[in-house]
Amino acid sequence: MYNNQLPLIDLHRHLDGNIRPQTIWQLAQKNNITLPEINFEKFLPHVTITHNEADLLAFLKKLDWGVKVLSTLDDCKRIAFENVEDVYQAGIRYAELRFSPYYMAMTHQLPVADVVAAVIDGVAQGVKQFPVKINLIGILSRTFGVEICQQELDALLTHKNHLVAIDLAGDEYNFPGHLFVEHFTQVKNADLHITVHAGEAAGPESVWQAINDLGATRIGHGVNSYKDESLMAYMHKHSIGVESCLTSNLQTGTVKHLNEHPITTFIENQLLVCLNTDDPAVEGIELKHEFELAHQSFNFDLQTISQLQQNAIDMSFLSNAEKRTLTSEFTTKDL
């Protein structure tokens, strides 16, 4: 259930976590890459979630085959284009697609800045063909360490005019945010927005650090924020958005059962929270599923669902004029 008088918006959607299994299979054949199975159906469990994983790192391994088959820049361009098509097919009006260019480049040692350019090109081709609006967010993959993240940031800033924000993602527990303060000083100097994965594998202190030291105005997942009432009060006061991903949080083991998810607590504390997919191809879901899940699991009524949709508009890294255009165009078309 969702309000069809408001646009569907996905703000936390990983482009490199949404590589179609069929595309992985085809690129492996094209690029002579050996997969762990010779039968496509048997290969699917290697790239999709079949049961909830033990933790975030186990979940993230499901993304690895998708990038291992990217042996050329044209491959990167193809998956970017297909991501735009998937957004359109899912009925999403606006999406912010985030991607880690080093993660995409590393297996076949592609030039990282050229991977950024290929993604930009693929998305540009996609929006010419499909009537959706897309913005790009560059990811620093903390899992690979401080120096690699600097290389990644340099590549992203080379194309900063085609990005709206920079994100910090990956192994939050072993690579805490304080290691990346200098990186995000550069991001601020580049006048890009900042969103940070925090409070997923670590506690509320990680969210505080993302806000205070890195300059985040949005938090990816932020599940453990509920453990600190003063943090939630601060986030409400300063309109720090929470990009919530219900199915992902369950599949990563961040919450053991959906009834433990703090989204109702966030809403009760008037946090700016919205629903998102995270890695739809890996999870086997799309955005409409997340709204239906929220309705069924938490008994959210249409008013609450509508507020979540409006929050996504308000939280988006669009200008105020673009937000008005997005809403008015959609409403006019739907009348």
Side-chain angles (χ1 to χ4, degrees):
M1 182 179 72
Y2 66 98
N3 186 343
N4 61 13
Q5 296 299 311
L6 288 170
L8 281 176
I9 293 175
D10 199 347
L11 300 181
H12 191 116
R13 187 180 179 101
H14 290 257
L15 183 149
D16 39 12
N18 186 51
I19 305 176
R20 300 170 183 171
Q22 188 67 43
T23 296
I24 298 173
W25 186 261
Q26 291 172 355
L27 289 178
Q29 293 178 320
K30 178 179 79 73
N31 298 326
N32 296 313
I33 295 168
T34 302
L35 296 176
E37 301 288 348
I38 59 172
N39 175 278
F40 178 67
E41 294 301 322
K42 291 183 178 180
F43 173 66
L44 282 175
H46 293 272
V47 293
T48 55
I49 299 294
T50 55
H51 59 273
N52 296 340
E53 298 296 331
D55 54 33
L56 175 62
L57 294 183
F59 176 93
L60 292 176
K61 287 185 183 297
K62 296 287 186 178
L63 281 66
D64 288 347
W65 277 111
V67 297
K68 285 179 180 177
V69 300
L70 303 177
S71 68
T72 70
L73 295 173
D74 280 342
D75 297 339
C76 299
K77 190 184 302 183
R78 171 180 171 174
I79 67 161
F81 177 88
E82 290 181 353
N83 261 264
V84 178
E85 183 177 16
D86 290 344
V87 165
Y88 172 72
Q89 294 292 349
I92 296 167
R93 182 67 181 85
Y94 170 65
E96 293 174 1
L97 302 179
R98 59 188 71 195
F99 68 105
S100 165
Y102 178 79
Y103 183 50
M104 294 172 65
M106 65 181 188
T107 302
H108 298 279
Q109 299 181 329
L110 300 174
V112 182
D114 290 349
V115 169
V116 179
V119 169
I120 292 166
D121 193 14
V123 167
Q125 290 182 14
V127 296
K128 285 181 181 178
Q129 185 163 335
F130 303 102
V132 294
K133 185 169 181 60
I134 303 289
N135 274 320
L136 288 170
I137 297 174
I139 289 176
L140 306 187
S141 289
R142 66 209 310 172
T143 309
F144 303 117
V146 172
E147 292 183 4
I148 290 296
C149 281
Q150 185 60 56
Q151 294 177 29
E152 197 162 35
L153 180 57
D154 291 343
L156 288 163
L157 292 182
T158 300
H159 300 283
K160 70 175 185 176
N161 292 338
H162 296 279
L163 306 173
V164 292
I166 299 293
D167 179 21
L168 182 65
D171 186 354
E172 178 191 7
Y173 187 79
N174 292 304
F175 294 88
H178 69 79
L179 298 173
F180 304 95
V181 172
E182 172 54 32
H183 298 71
F184 282 88
T185 298
Q186 297 170 58
V187 175
K188 293 171 201 171
N189 291 338
D191 291 323
L192 290 169
H193 294 287
I194 296 171
T195 177
V196 173
H197 283 66
E200 185 181 16
E205 72 284 349
S206 178
V207 180
W208 274 120
Q209 194 277 334
I211 296 168
N212 290 332
D213 299 341
L214 303 185
T217 58
R218 284 187 355 210
I219 300 295
H221 303 293
V223 175
N224 289 316
S225 301
Y226 82 94
K227 296 177 180 178
D228 186 337
E229 290 188 4
S230 64
L231 172 60
M232 288 192 291
Y234 183 92
M235 294 172 75
H236 166 61
K237 180 179 179 181
H238 296 277
S239 299
I240 306 294
V242 179
E243 306 157 356
S244 196
C245 309
L246 301 178
T247 297
S248 171
N249 294 155
L250 188 62
Q251 291 180 345
T252 59
T254 303
V255 296
K256 298 303 179 186
H257 304 282
L258 207 55
N259 59 12
E260 298 174 3
H261 199 283
I263 190 167
T264 53
T265 302
F266 294 159
I267 292 171
E268 288 165 2
N269 284 271
Q270 298 180 288
L271 266 63
L272 203 57
V273 59
C274 66
L275 293 181
N276 310 274
T277 57
D278 204 16
D279 303 290
V282 172
E283 297 165 63
I285 57 98
E286 259 304 347
L287 188 57
K288 290 178 183 178
H289 171 272
E290 297 300 275
F291 280 98
E292 189 61 35
L293 189 63
H295 170 58
Q296 292 180 355
S297 300
F298 306 109
N299 200 30
F300 287 171
D301 58 17
L302 186 60
Q303 182 179 353
T304 304
I305 293 291
S306 299
Q307 187 60 58
L308 292 170
Q309 289 178 253
Q310 183 61 50
N311 288 348
I313 298 170
D314 296 340
M315 288 167 57
S316 71
F317 293 140
L318 293 167
S319 68
N320 289 333
E322 288 173 319
K323 290 174 184 178
R324 288 192 296 270
T325 299
L326 176 68
T327 307
S328 63
E329 279 184 353
F330 186 90
T331 304
T332 302
K333 188 180 80 170
D334 209 56
L335 290 175

Coordinates of all heavy atoms in Angstrom, one line a residue, residues 22 56 76 82 84 106 158 176 196 214-215 222 243 283 288 314-317 328 333:
Q22 N 20.7 -12.3 -14.1 CA 20.9 -12.7 -15.5 C 22.0 -12.0 -16.2 O 22.8 -12.5 -17.0 CB 19.6 -12.5 -16.3 CG 19.6 -13.0 -17.7 CD 19.6 -14.5 -17.7 OE1 18.9 -15.2 -17.0 NE2 20.4 -15.1 -18.6
L56 N 26.1 -8.3 8.7 CA 26.3 -7.5 7.5 C 27.3 -8.0 6.5 O 27.1 -8.0 5.3 CB 26.6 -6.1 8.0 CG 26.9 -5.0 6.9 CD1 25.7 -4.8 6.0 CD2 27.3 -3.7 7.5
C76 N 30.3 -1.7 -17.0 CA 29.9 -0.8 -16.0 C 28.8 0.1 -16.5 O 27.8 0.4 -15.8 CB 31.1 0.1 -15.5 SG 32.4 -0.9 -14.8
E82 N 20.9 -0.4 -16.9 CA 19.9 -1.3 -16.5 C 19.3 -0.9 -15.1 O 18.1 -1.2 -14.9 CB 20.5 -2.8 -16.4 CG 20.7 -3.3 -17.8 CD 21.3 -4.8 -17.7 OE1 21.6 -5.3 -16.6 OE2 21.4 -5.4 -18.8
V84 N 18.7 2.1 -14.3 CA 17.7 3.1 -14.6 C 16.4 2.5 -15.1 O 15.3 2.8 -14.6 CB 18.2 4.1 -15.6 CG1 17.1 5.2 -16.0 CG2 19.5 4.9 -15.1
M106 N 37.9 -3.0 -9.0 CA 39.1 -3.7 -8.4 C 39.4 -5.0 -9.0 O 40.6 -5.3 -9.2 CB 38.9 -3.8 -6.9 CG 37.8 -4.7 -6.4 SD 37.7 -4.8 -4.6 CE 36.4 -6.1 -4.4
T158 N 36.7 14.0 -9.3 CA 37.0 14.4 -10.7 C 35.7 14.6 -11.5 O 35.7 15.4 -12.4 CB 37.8 13.2 -11.4 OG1 39.0 13.0 -10.7 CG2 38.1 13.5 -12.8
P176 N 35.7 2.4 11.7 CA 34.8 3.4 12.3 C 35.0 4.7 11.6 O 36.1 5.0 11.0 CB 35.2 3.5 13.8 CG 36.6 2.9 13.8 CD 36.7 1.9 12.8
V196 N 25.8 9.0 5.4 CA 26.7 8.0 6.0 C 26.0 6.8 6.5 O 25.0 6.9 7.2 CB 27.6 8.6 7.1 CG1 28.4 7.5 7.8 CG2 28.5 9.7 6.6
L214 N 31.7 14.0 10.5 CA 31.7 13.8 9.1 C 30.7 14.8 8.4 O 30.9 15.0 7.2 CB 31.3 12.4 8.7 CG 32.2 11.3 9.3 CD1 31.9 9.9 8.7 CD2 33.7 11.6 9.1
G215 N 29.8 15.3 9.1 CA 28.9 16.3 8.5 C 27.6 15.7 7.8 O 27.0 16.3 7.0
G222 N 20.8 3.6 10.2 CA 20.6 4.2 11.5 C 19.8 3.5 12.6 O 19.3 4.1 13.5
E243 N 17.5 6.9 6.3 CA 17.2 6.1 5.2 C 16.9 4.7 5.6 O 17.9 3.9 5.8 CB 18.3 6.2 4.2 CG 18.7 7.6 3.8 CD 20.2 7.6 3.3 OE1 20.9 6.6 3.3 OE2 20.6 8.7 2.9
E283 N 18.3 -8.7 -2.7 CA 17.3 -9.0 -1.7 C 16.0 -9.7 -2.3 O 15.2 -10.3 -1.6 CB 16.8 -7.7 -1.0 CG 17.9 -7.1 -0.2 CD 17.6 -5.6 0.1 OE1 16.6 -5.4 0.9 OE2 18.3 -4.7 -0.3
K288 N 7.8 -1.0 -3.7 CA 6.4 -1.2 -3.4 C 6.3 -2.3 -2.3 O 5.4 -2.2 -1.4 CB 5.6 -1.5 -4.6 CG 5.4 -0.3 -5.5 CD 4.6 -0.7 -6.8 CE 4.5 0.5 -7.7 NZ 3.8 0.1 -9.0
D314 N 11.2 15.4 1.1 CA 11.9 16.4 1.9 C 13.3 16.1 2.1 O 14.2 17.0 2.2 CB 11.2 16.5 3.2 CG 9.7 17.0 3.1 OD1 9.4 17.6 2.0 OD2 8.9 16.8 4.0
M315 N 13.7 14.8 2.3 CA 15.0 14.4 2.6 C 15.9 14.3 1.3 O 17.2 14.3 1.5 CB 15.0 13.0 3.2 CG 14.5 12.8 4.6 SD 14.2 11.1 5.0 CE 15.8 10.4 4.7
S316 N 15.3 14.3 0.2 CA 16.1 14.1 -1.0 C 17.1 15.2 -1.3 O 17.0 16.3 -0.8 CB 15.2 14.0 -2.3 OG 14.6 15.3 -2.5
F317 N 18.2 14.9 -2.0 CA 19.2 15.9 -2.4 C 18.8 16.6 -3.6 O 19.6 16.9 -4.5 CB 20.6 15.2 -2.5 CG 21.1 14.6 -1.2 CD1 21.7 13.4 -1.2 CD2 20.9 15.3 0.0 CE1 22.3 12.9 0.0 CE2 21.5 14.8 1.2 CZ 22.1 13.6 1.2
S328 N 4.6 18.3 -8.4 CA 3.6 18.8 -9.3 C 3.4 18.1 -10.6 O 2.3 17.8 -11.0 CB 3.8 20.3 -9.6 OG 5.1 20.5 -10.3
K333 N 0.1 14.6 -13.8 CA 0.0 13.5 -14.7 C -1.0 12.5 -14.2 O -1.7 11.8 -14.9 CB 1.4 12.8 -14.8 CG 1.5 11.7 -15.9 CD 2.8 11.1 -15.9 CE 3.1 10.1 -14.9 NZ 4.3 9.4 -15.1

